[in-house]
Amino acid sequence: MGAGFGNTLAGDPIALIAVLAVLAVFAWALYSVRKMAKDDLSNRRRIADLEIRLNEAETAMASEAHVMIIWTGRDDRPDRIVGSMHGAAQLPSEPDMLLDFGYWLERDSAVALIEALHELRSAGTPFNIGIRTLANELLEADGRTAGGLATLRFRPLAGERRNMAALAYDAHKLGKQVERLSAVLDAAPLPVWLRGADGKLAWVNQAFVASVEAPDGDVVVKAGIEIASNASIDKTRADPKTGCVGRIHSVIGGAMRALDIHEVGLPEGTAGFAIDITTLEEAEKELDRHIKAHTSTLNKLDTAIAIFGPDQRLRFHNAAYALLWPLDSKWLDTHPTDGEILDRLRSQRCIPEQANYREWKTKQLSAYTTLELRESWWYLPDNRSLHVVCEQHPFGGVTYLYENATKEIQLESRYNELIGVQRETLDNLEEGIALLGSDGRLKLFNPAFARFWSLDPAFLETEPHIEDLTRHGRRVVTDSAAWDEVKYGVTRLDVERKPITGKINAADHILQFTAVPLPDGNTLLTFADVSDSARMERALRDRADALEAADRLKNMFLSNVSYEIRTPLTSVLGFAEGLQMGIAGPLTPKQQDYVRDIRRSSADLKTIIDAIIDLTAIDAGAMELRLERIDVTSLLEAVAEKLAPSIDNRDLTLNVEVGSDVTSLVADAKRLEQILSNLLSNAIGFSEPGGTIRMGAKRSGNSLQFWVSDSGRGIDPEFQKQAFERFQSRPIPGGHRGPGLGLSIVKSFVELHEGQVSLLSKVSQGTTVLCTFPVDGPGSAQRSAAQALGARKLA
């Protein structure tokens, strides 16, 4: 009965579950009976019967290959694990390993079993699935619930059931893979599509739908909406190696995007996808712009640049490289090798002469296998000097930089020569030169500096500080404060440093120093021995003081003498006038002539004394002008009438000429009359009898010009420069004589009026004196400028 019962259970899983349930009930009943047996001995027979039946059920189950896991509560750990595979399959013997399904099952099987077991224990959902172990064994996993129990049973599969289960498992697994792959493709961020054998769309993913702005994939497939037409594909971008059929530019999401279209052939149609390479295309354009900009920049450099690739062929060269070497640009565009370029340059004698060219060339080309930076100098046969730098390029190959240093070397040579000349010049100067740096230390000096201050050149070569020089200088000079001034000129920190000059009195000589701040922060000190010039200056100053004292004494003498002579002269004139009037009785004709001569000589002497007094007042700044409005015509007529007797005595003709626009001017009437009288007197005195004299006035802008012109013998050119100086006279034999004050006082009075006087004379043709006065008097020009400035401010 046990064997038949066991076969029945093996063929019917439901019966097995029922048996299990019965066994559970029996077990519970047995437990209850045993508990009750303590009190009721009548139940012992029933208990014995139940135990027999339980043993028979366990024997039937133990005869079948299976493993059962039983849970009676919510705990994750099972209450019991019963059964055995009897060698039909290999399951972990340890409970913890057995429950770790990922440890001994394939991943898909483990995931499916964990999900089914969770539904069984949480919702009571039974399951019966096939699973595969890592040892490629197929098992049946059956989950059931009964009352408060949950059971999971593993059984091996064999025969037809095993084949059917394997097929079902593989189909399920394949379906899962297809489902996952479809989900991945549908969620892919790039458009993906499938075409049938007829070339029409059969399926599209969500990215494709979004790119064509359609509601869903069914609409796209049904309407045949393409992401791009075949005509819009740029076939020049096709690449058979990658399956790229071209590139399109399309508006997606409101922005222009660049897409590479890829299609792969399938047995029944094609599969395609589009890769958004907008960022890559923009990067390529940006890189192209950078390359062009860098190329343009490199072409503007004076340094020749050549880049060779790992194959030693020329990849790039700038314009300076083409100009540096006499190489054909078309030949350079063929990308010759580095060795070929060296050979051609050698044939044209454009590289340094080498005793062993092959060895030198090999050394040059070894740069492709070394990492260190190499620098060398090439001295070419055409007298050019090149600084050559060779370094590894980041992408392989090498980069050459050829800097033409010919001019720099020539400039350095000329600079060194110039420094040598300057050094010799400084060493041979009589002046002492010292250059102090911004740190206050001596940087440069010449022998004269060491000689002036009795300093040891070896000490000066140690670059002493200005403090040390000042300390030594104070011991040499008589005035120690002078070196403090020198020190201040070197160490001051003013924003605007200005030169400082001064003199230092040493024991036996006098030095004039100058501290000149230089733009670079240094200070140049110069010391010149001015002992001889100082002594000469002192002698000249003493002489100038003596001359000024003598001039003051002369003026005082003339002033005093003039005043002392003027008093008795007035008496002489008064007595002579009284005698001529017959106060002392009638005079004989001869006596009348004597009295006339006395009066005429006294009048001349009075005029000279008045002129000396006026000049003295002008020199002392005591002369004041009494300005008034003067009628020009009346003034000229008064002067002509005053000197009419002298004109008649000389048998001369006077022409008075007044411009139509001349009316009046502001001046001192007395001084102006004196000016014209002196000029007219000179013209009368230097004119030949029967001659003509012209006197007049004309307007010139804001000025009025008076002139007196004669037709006499003129003034010698060498004397014209002295004509306006005091006591300068060239008397004519038998003619006019004077003390030489007439033109001098004219010049002084004209300049008091802020005017100008000029003289034009030619020998045997006469002399013209021109006096220019401001029409509105002295200060009128300043008043006009102030008024104009005020008007501009008001405007």
Side-chain angles (χ1 to χ4, degrees), residues 533-552:
S533 60
R535 285 191 289 269
M536 184 65 68
E537 180 183 356
R538 189 180 299 111
L540 292 175
R541 188 179 295 109
D542 293 343
R543 184 184 179 205
D545 294 342
L547 291 175
E548 290 179 1
D551 187 61
R552 288 193 299 271

Side-chain angles (χ1 to χ4, degrees), residues 142-401:
D142 187 86
R144 294 289 184 269
T145 58
L149 299 178
T151 62
L152 172 61
R153 185 184 185 203
F154 297 107
R155 287 195 309 168
L157 294 175
E160 187 64 26
R161 291 188 63 200
R162 184 182 187 281
N163 295 334
M164 293 298 293
L167 290 175
Y169 176 79
D170 292 339
H172 175 75
K173 184 176 181 181
L174 180 60
K176 288 290 186 181
Q177 291 178 348
V178 171
E179 183 180 350
R180 287 196 294 268
L181 180 59
S182 177
V184 169
L185 292 178
D186 195 49
L190 67 159
V192 181
W193 61 91
L194 294 175
R195 297 182 187 274
D198 56 356
K200 295 182 179 180
L201 290 173
W203 175 86
V204 295
N205 69 344
Q206 291 300 317
F208 191 104
V209 174
S211 65
V212 298
E213 299 180 355
D216 54 50
D218 293 337
V219 174
V220 174
V221 173
K222 184 176 180 180
I225 303 175
E226 298 285 351
I227 196 170
S229 62
N230 189 49
S232 63
I233 299 177
D234 183 7
K235 301 295 181 60
T236 60
R237 300 295 188 122
D239 186 1
K241 296 181 179 178
T242 61
C244 179
V245 298
R247 180 174 297 179
I248 65 168
H249 292 83
S250 178
V251 177
I252 300 176
M256 180 64 71
R257 313 297 294 178
L259 304 174
D260 273 354
I261 305 300
H262 294 258
E263 287 193 349
V264 180
L266 299 176
E268 295 182 359
T270 59
F273 58 93
I275 300 177
D276 188 342
I277 48 90
T278 304
T279 304
L280 175 62
E281 188 176 64
E282 292 176 353
E284 290 176 348
K285 293 180 180 178
E286 184 68 19
L287 177 61
D288 184 61
R289 286 193 293 268
H290 278 290
I291 291 174
K292 290 180 179 178
H294 290 166
T295 301
S296 177
T297 301
L298 293 177
N299 282 329
K300 292 181 176 64
L301 295 178
D302 293 332
T303 301
I305 300 175
I307 300 176
F308 291 83
D311 56 354
Q312 299 188 12
R313 288 193 172 274
L314 181 64
R315 296 289 181 85
F316 169 81
H317 69 279
N318 64 349
Y321 182 84
L323 295 175
L324 180 65
W325 307 117
L327 299 175
D328 185 12
S329 58
K330 294 183 179 179
W331 181 73
L332 291 176
D333 292 339
T334 62
H335 306 292
T337 64
D338 195 355
E340 291 172 348
I341 293 177
L342 290 177
D343 291 339
R344 181 162 293 194
L345 291 177
R346 182 189 179 224
S347 65
Q348 297 176 351
R349 299 191 72 242
C350 291
I351 60 174
E353 297 290 350
Q354 301 294 330
N356 190 339
Y357 169 72
R358 181 174 298 178
E359 180 180 350
W360 180 83
K361 177 183 176 182
T362 302
K363 182 178 179 181
Q364 295 297 317
L365 297 180
S366 65
Y368 292 89
T369 58
T370 57
L371 297 178
E372 67 273 6
L373 179 71
R374 292 171 52 179
E375 295 187 42
S376 60
W377 285 89
W378 288 11
Y379 300 101
L380 307 185
D382 58 359
N383 294 325
R384 288 186 298 171
S385 300
L386 302 182
H387 180 211
V388 182
V389 178
C390 176
E391 63 177 351
Q392 286 285 331
H393 194 274
F395 301 122
V398 297
T399 300
Y400 288 103
L401 284 81

Side-chain angles (χ1 to χ4, degrees), residues 492-634:
R492 64 179 180 164
L493 300 175
D494 298 349
V495 176
E496 295 183 1
R497 302 172 63 202
K498 297 180 180 179
I500 295 179
T501 60
K503 289 184 179 180
I504 299 177
N505 293 319
D508 55 350
H509 51 262
I510 300 174
L511 298 178
Q512 181 173 356
F513 74 88
T514 302
V516 181
L518 301 179
D520 58 357
N522 297 335
T523 304
L524 179 66
L525 292 179
T526 61
F527 296 89
D529 189 348
V530 295
S531 303
D532 295 336
S533 60
R535 285 191 289 269
M536 184 65 68
E537 180 183 356
R538 189 180 299 111
L540 292 175
R541 188 179 295 109
D542 293 343
R543 184 184 179 205
D545 294 342
L547 291 175
E548 290 179 1
D551 187 61
R552 288 193 299 271
L553 181 61
K554 178 194 72 174
N555 291 334
M556 290 176 59
F557 172 76
L558 292 176
S559 177
N560 291 332
V561 169
S562 299
Y563 280 106
E564 293 298 329
I565 294 177
R566 192 172 188 177
T567 301
L569 181 60
T570 302
S571 301
V572 171
L573 283 172
F575 288 133
E577 185 176 357
L579 289 174
Q580 192 173 15
M581 293 174 60
I583 295 177
L587 299 176
T588 63
K590 194 168 186 63
Q591 290 174 339
Q592 288 283 354
D593 292 338
Y594 287 157
V595 171
R596 232 180 349 263
D597 291 340
I598 290 172
R599 290 190 63 187
R600 184 169 56 253
S601 298
S602 298
D604 292 340
L605 182 58
K606 183 177 181 299
T607 300
I608 294 172
I609 292 173
D610 289 341
I612 292 174
I613 293 173
D614 290 339
L615 289 174
T616 303
I618 292 172
D619 292 341
M623 175 67 70
E624 294 184 0
L625 298 177
R626 297 181 179 181
L627 302 178
E628 58 180 306
R629 179 67 63 176
I630 303 172
D631 183 74
V632 176
T633 302
S634 300

Side-chain angles (χ1 to χ4, degrees), residues 23 94 131 183 255 306-307 344 491 495 582 641 669 679 687 748 753 770:
L23 288 176
E94 296 293 331
I131 58 175
I307 300 176
R344 181 162 293 194
T491 59
V495 176
E641 185 177 355
L679 293 177
S687 295
S748 298
H753 284 80
L770 182 66

Side-chain angles (χ1 to χ4, degrees), residues 64 83 484 487 562 653 718 720:
E64 184 182 6
D484 292 335
K487 175 185 172 182
S562 299
T653 300
E718 61 273 10
Q720 291 183 16

Side-chain angles (χ1 to χ4, degrees), residues 670-689:
K670 179 181 177 182
R671 302 308 175 189
L672 192 55
E673 181 182 351
Q674 191 173 351
I675 290 171
L676 294 175
S677 297
N678 285 348
L679 293 177
L680 188 56
S681 296
N682 284 344
I684 294 171
F686 288 98
S687 295
E688 298 293 338

